[in-house]
């Protein structure tokens, strides 16, 4: 059984930066993907970014590439989300998600249905 533990959320002013971490316990990932979603109050959970474990390719939600960067530490089964130039509209609960099966294509990674494991979420608040 895989468990995901997020850390790194908090309060930041507009234009600031934060780094989220997600550590997966359990079996070592050799395939599949890990990623991030976010959910703002009153909105649906949306795809932020994902990294495919087999080839380290990364994928981003619309308009987030350039400000957000996903990376991994493979031996540690850990994925990071570096967020820069944060805006108030980035305020949300950020969830780590993972699946340790398959070699998903981009459209699969955008879908919540692909992910078998979820963290409890970490709050990110961007406000002046």
């Amino acid at each position: 059984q895989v468990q995901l533990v997020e850390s790194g959320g908090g309060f930041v002013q507009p234009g600031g930066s934060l780094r989220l971490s997600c550590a997966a316990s359990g079996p070592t990932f050799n395939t599949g993907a890990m990623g991030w979603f976010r959910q703002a109050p009153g909105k649906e959970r949306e795809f932020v970014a994902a990294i495919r474990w087999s080839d380290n390719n990364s994928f981003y939600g619309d308009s987030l590439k350039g400000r957000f960067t996903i990376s991994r530490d493979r031996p540690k089964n850990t994925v990071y989300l570096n967020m820069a130039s944060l805006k108030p509209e980035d305020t949300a609960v950020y969830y780590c998600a993972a699946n340790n099966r398959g070699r998903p294509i981009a459209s699969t990674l955008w879908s919540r249905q692909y992910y078998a494991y979820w963290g409890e979420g970490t709050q990110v608040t961007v406000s002046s």
Side-chain angles (χ1 to χ4, degrees):
Q1 181 72 15
V2 175
Q3 291 186 320
L4 305 177
V5 178
E6 303 113 329
S7 60
F11 182 93
V12 64
Q13 292 186 337
S17 301
L18 278 177
R19 187 195 200 200
L20 306 183
S21 300
C22 175
S25 62
T28 299
F29 278 49
N30 292 309
T31 186
M34 290 181 71
W36 293 92
F37 286 73
R38 68 183 183 184
Q39 189 166 19
K43 295 188 177 181
E44 294 210 355
R45 194 170 298 190
E46 65 171 348
F47 174 74
V48 175
I51 192 162
R52 191 163 56 200
W53 226 246
S54 60
D55 57 14
N56 204 33
N57 278 350
S58 55
F59 305 86
Y60 295 90
D62 292 342
S63 76
L64 295 178
K65 189 174 184 178
R67 294 195 300 124
F68 289 15
T69 304
I70 190 170
S71 61
R72 70 175 182 184
D73 184 330
R74 186 164 183 159
K76 294 183 178 180
N77 264 9
T78 298
V79 65
Y80 305 97
L81 184 69
N82 287 285
M83 305 184 292
S85 302
L86 284 163
K87 306 174 183 180
E89 50 263 43
D90 294 318
T91 296
V93 178
Y94 284 70
Y95 295 91
C96 180
N99 192 328
N100 56 357
R101 302 175 70 179
R103 189 177 184 277
I105 60 176
S107 57
T108 300
L109 291 170
W110 297 331
S111 171
R112 287 177 291 172
Q113 282 67 39
Y114 167 73
Y115 298 91
Y117 308 103
W118 291 85
E120 294 188 352
T122 185
Q123 176 70 45
V124 172
T125 302
V126 184
S127 176
S128 56

